[in-house]
Amino acid sequence: MKEKLAIFGGDTTVKADPKDIFTWPIVNKEMEDAVLDVLRKGKMSATDITKEFEQGYAEWHGMKYGLGCNTGTAALHCSFFGIGIGKGDEIICPSLTYWASCLPVYSLGATVVFADVEPDTLCIDPDDIERKITDKTKAILVVHYCARPADMDRIMGIAKKHNLKVIEDVSHAHGALYKGKMVGTFGEVTAFSCMSGKSFAIGEAGIMLTNDREIYERAAIFGFYERAPELTIDYLKAGAGLPWGGYKYRMHQMSSAVGREQLKKYPSEMAEIDKAMNYFWDALEGLPGIRSPRPPKDSGITMGAWYASLGHYKTEELDGLSISRFCEALRAEGASIFPGCNRALHQHPLFSDIDVYNDGKPTRIANSNQDIRKLDGVLPVSDGIQTKVFGVPWFKKFYPEIIDEYTAAFKKVIGNYKELLAEDTGDPTDLGRWMLSAKAVSGK
Ligand SMILES: *Cc1c(COP(=O)(O)O)cnc(C)c1O
């Protein structure tokens, strides 16, 4: 393959009008009508539609209770309070995730110990969980990171053995399966973000699911004063009327109205995305330098709607070509590919030095009897991740002629990689970001 690379003045590869292949969320007439109906009836702050949405979402997962929240962050905060996280408690969380997976525990007087991730799934490493358990550990926070389900068999086994609770953060993997069972149905409680960039996108929203009535009611009293009449547990009923957390976390009904419609069309959208993304990776199978994030065939593990999925980069198969140079060449071809992902959280000063609540010491250790920052230890996979992964175009539609251009760009760059070595200045030290950029999420 001796075509001139676009970075050296050759023709670009990705040229076609992308049409709506990256358009997200997909809004239909039913959603528009549902929003207008809420608006015209002035039902934005009511809960009737939200309750229907909660029920539908819980049923989809075969779970008993759903609690519609105004953000995924709120759903996580409610989950932590729901399972009784309090002063001095520790949760074990992967360092490679979005900050809301653990940061809300600070406000409960609790703290976080970070675990590394596995190099292939990019999800929490069960061996490292075991190393991080102390007598203060209360829960394991599992993130199905960038749509790839975590190793739930081993994680649930560890939780059982050490009597720990499991919280799932399913903000990246709505509808994905782990060995045939939906993610979000393994732990005691699960939180989902449903903000506009996520795969189950219904506005600015989140939802919590649980089968445990007490967790549901504790989460309700934490930030939903209007649910007082639903409470059945005595110690909660006795304190009903005001939200114990001092928060107001109710879902906006324009979001729950969109959510009810999204429940109807999500399975077909997920199927189309899965088809498009598998078509993309099938075409690239066997090329040196890159690997798909796909679980093994016939494992019963699926990628759901492939939220912000990442490709793996193997520099050693391309004579040490830097991922930055590799992606630069792809961008010159017209494919908007960037290296890296979320930065590992333990690298941020909020998890080492910052005193958020005026405790006179870093919040991370404000309620600890030992310096748990040292427990993090070395997290080699999380620390080195920025040069090992790249953002993949997130195709929402199965348009083979457009996807073919992207795979042609990869084939062209990989087929001519030797020419890129000469002017390769290596990777900058500041790859990665604290949150997923709009660019990474939209693919364009
Ligand atoms: C987006 C996200 C959240 C937070 O959800 P919001 O709806 O933005 O508050 C939590 N965890 C993960 C892993 C996320 O990606």
Side-chain angles (χ1 to χ4, degrees):
M1 204 194 302
K2 277 288 157 225
E3 302 159 82
K4 193 173 187 184
L5 289 170
I7 200 168
F8 298 129
D11 283 345
T12 58
T13 319
V14 177
K15 288 198 254 246
D17 174 359
K19 298 192 280 190
D20 57 350
I21 200 164
F22 296 117
T23 302
W24 200 252
I26 297 169
V27 177
N28 64 15
K29 176 81 166 60
E30 288 77 6
M31 286 174 164
E32 292 171 2
D33 290 346
V35 167
L36 280 176
D37 195 51
V38 170
L39 193 58
R40 288 182 177 136
K41 289 184 176 145
K43 294 197 349 178
M44 289 77 89
S45 295
T47 55
D48 55 332
I49 300 170
T50 297
K51 291 209 163 130
E52 284 176 34
F53 169 64
E54 286 167 353
Q55 203 186 341
Y57 200 88
E59 266 168 23
W60 176 37
H61 288 80
M63 300 280 282
K64 276 195 195 148
Y65 308 109
L67 181 63
C69 302
N70 51 14
T71 61
T73 306
L76 281 155
H77 206 189
C78 290
S79 302
F80 295 131
F81 184 78
I83 62 164
I85 299 279
K87 200 161 275 276
D89 290 338
E90 293 167 10
I91 64 163
I92 299 174
C93 177
S95 185
L96 188 66
T97 182
Y98 178 79
W99 49 265
S101 301
C102 57
L103 203 41
V105 301
Y106 275 7
S107 66
L108 300 169
T111 191
V112 54
V113 174
F114 289 112
D116 208 357
V117 296
E118 302 175 307
D120 54 344
T121 65
L122 306 180
C123 296
I124 195 164
D125 178 347
D127 291 327
D128 209 30
I129 294 176
E130 293 219 85
R131 284 192 284 269
K132 300 298 164 66
I133 294 172
T134 73
D135 57 355
K136 301 272 188 175
T137 309
K138 189 113 183 203
I140 303 165
L141 187 294
V142 177
V143 184
H144 305 288
Y145 186 68
C146 291
R148 177 76 193 261
D151 185 349
M152 294 315 293
D153 282 347
R154 286 202 56 206
I155 293 166
M156 296 312 292
I158 292 166
K160 198 162 173 210
K161 183 169 146 205
H162 297 275
N163 195 24
L164 304 174
K165 302 256 195 283
V166 171
I167 305 163
E168 288 178 82
D169 179 348
V170 186
S171 299
H172 292 185
H174 313 69
L177 304 176
Y178 176 77
K179 299 192 178 172
K181 186 169 158 26
M182 274 177 96
V183 299
T185 64
F186 290 85
E188 274 75 20
V189 63
T190 299
F192 304 74
S193 169
C194 305
M195 54 82 72
S196 317
K198 299 288 160 72
S199 50
F200 193 96
I202 65 173
E204 191 68 352
I207 186 165
M208 189 198 90
L209 295 183
T210 183
N211 283 327
D212 184 319
R213 183 75 201 173
E214 187 174 2
I215 294 176
Y216 169 78
E217 291 196 15
R218 283 180 59 87
I221 208 165
F222 192 57
F224 302 79
Y225 65 89
E226 73 284 358
R227 297 202 185 216
E230 290 179 40
L231 302 174
T232 61
I233 299 170
D234 285 340
Y235 79 95
L236 297 172
K237 270 205 306 206
L242 294 180
W244 289 11
Y247 300 107
K248 185 182 174 192
Y249 278 164
R250 185 193 309 172
M251 187 184 262
H252 195 300
Q253 290 223 111
M254 285 193 203
S255 286
S256 48
V258 170
R260 274 194 317 183
E261 296 304 324
Q262 182 58 9
L263 275 172
K264 296 177 196 161
K265 68 186 180 59
Y266 188 68
S268 65
E269 286 175 2
M270 195 164 50
E272 179 150 4
I273 292 169
D274 194 52
K275 189 173 176 190
M277 296 305 294
N278 277 308
Y279 178 82
F280 172 75
W281 280 112
D282 283 345
L284 299 177
E285 202 64 59
L287 285 184
I290 60 171
R291 296 288 186 286
S292 93
R294 293 187 286 192
K297 276 206 175 71
D298 305 319
S299 59
I301 304 175
T302 70
M303 300 283 289
W306 290 74
Y307 171 76
S309 67
L310 299 166
H312 294 261
Y313 186 69
K314 308 279 176 195
T315 181
E316 66 279 9
E317 295 176 4
L318 301 175
D319 296 338
L321 180 68
S322 75
I323 191 168
S324 300
R325 184 76 169 148
F326 175 74
C327 292
E328 192 187 357
L330 282 163
R331 290 197 298 277
E333 296 296 333
S336 180
I337 306 289
F338 288 85
C341 58
N342 294 91
R343 284 213 189 124
L345 292 175
H346 72 280
Q347 298 174 353
H348 193 283
L350 195 45
F351 295 104
S352 51
D353 305 323
I354 294 175
D355 176 4
V356 183
Y357 294 114
N358 300 334
D359 288 297
K361 50 180 170 170
T363 305
R364 177 95 189 272
I365 54 165
N367 299 297
S368 302
N369 55 8
Q370 61 164 325
D371 190 348
I372 52 116
R373 293 174 298 184
K374 297 200 182 103
L375 274 181
D376 294 345
V378 181
L379 304 177
V381 183
S382 306
D383 281 326
I385 199 69
Q386 303 306 334
T387 57
K388 300 244 166 44
V389 295
F390 56 90
V392 171
W394 186 13
F395 302 112
K396 314 302 194 308
K397 299 276 176 174
F398 180 60
Y399 297 152
E401 63 292 352
I402 295 174
I403 300 170
D404 286 345
E405 289 191 339
Y406 280 84
T407 55
F410 275 89
K411 286 177 183 165
K412 185 176 169 194
V413 168
I414 292 169
N416 296 283
Y417 79 90
K418 281 189 195 310
E419 292 168 30
L420 293 164
L421 291 167
E423 286 168 54
D424 185 0
T425 53
D427 292 309
T429 52
D430 63 346
L431 283 179
R433 33 194 187 265
W434 293 117
M435 58 192 101
L436 292 170
S437 71
K439 232 180 221 159
V441 170
S442 70
K444 259 286 167 190

